[in-house]
Amino acid sequence: RQVRPLASLQQGIWYAGRIRVSSVRVGQSTVRFATSGQWRFRDAELAQLVARIVATELAFADPGGRPDFLVTVLPIGPPDWPHAVRAGVALAGGFALFLTPNHALVDPDAVLAIKHLVAHEMFHTWTGGLIRPATPADGSRWFFEGFTNFFAWRLLARAGLVTPAEFAAHWNADLRKLA
């Protein structure tokens, strides 16, 4: 039996409803996908994309792998929402993605945004997860977000999921935002 502090509950996803669970091996790690809701893509399509990004990031930052890794994908907003909205949060042992049900993996801009969100949240499992600021308000947010965005774009390029030109264009845009 393992006893953990109550604060460890903050590092989890709490959800009521039906969840579909699947898993895929990525190197020495097992990546589990927990999804709910109806999407304009199959769970396996997103799982394949996420697995490719996770494999690239694990090879870069954690070549020994992690025994278990959870990616949760949950819907936000109604199915007829007029805009595609996406958000994410890194947690201990994985990350959660929140998408409006109108997302489809056919529009190149939407696919790029989802790739970046996945790479960004995955990298936050190290920056902000394993490497933490001294306090939430210590002024280091620029470092954690800037560093994470750089490596998110860089590792997407390494995986062949963005071109070098796309990497440079998006990283330069991020730098302008951080300036």
Side-chain angles (χ1 to χ4, degrees), residues 2 6 13 23-24 44 54 59-60 62 79 102-103 106 118 121 126 129-130 137 143 152 156 159 166 179:
Q2 209 173 27
L6 189 58
I13 293 292
S23 62
V24 71
V54 167
F60 171 75
D62 194 0
N102 59 357
H103 272 82
V106 293
V118 169
E121 296 307 331
W126 290 285
L130 297 177
F143 171 78
L156 286 172
E166 288 173 316

Side-chain angles (χ1 to χ4, degrees), residues 28-74:
Q28 299 297 315
S29 301
T30 298
V31 180
R32 289 186 176 74
F33 297 90
T35 57
S36 183
Q38 298 300 313
W39 307 99
R40 293 185 180 172
F41 54 81
R42 291 175 305 135
D43 292 353
E45 289 177 86
L46 184 61
Q48 183 180 18
L49 177 64
V50 170
R52 189 166 170 192
I53 295 167
V54 167
T56 301
E57 292 204 21
L58 287 175
F60 171 75
D62 194 0
R66 297 178 185 188
D68 292 302
F69 199 81
L70 176 65
V71 178
T72 307
V73 185
L74 299 173

Side-chain angles (χ1 to χ4, degrees), residues 16-30:
R18 292 182 182 265
I19 292 183
R20 299 178 302 279
V21 179
S22 61
S23 62
V24 71
R25 291 290 292 168
V26 175
Q28 299 297 315
S29 301
T30 298

Side-chain angles (χ1 to χ4, degrees), residues 99-133:
L99 307 172
T100 49
N102 59 357
H103 272 82
L105 296 179
V106 293
D107 173 49
D109 290 336
V111 173
L112 179 64
I114 290 173
K115 287 177 189 176
H116 182 261
L117 178 63
V118 169
H120 181 94
E121 296 307 331
M122 175 68 190
F123 208 81
H124 263 317
T125 64
W126 290 285
T127 59
L130 297 177
I131 304 167
R132 295 179 183 261

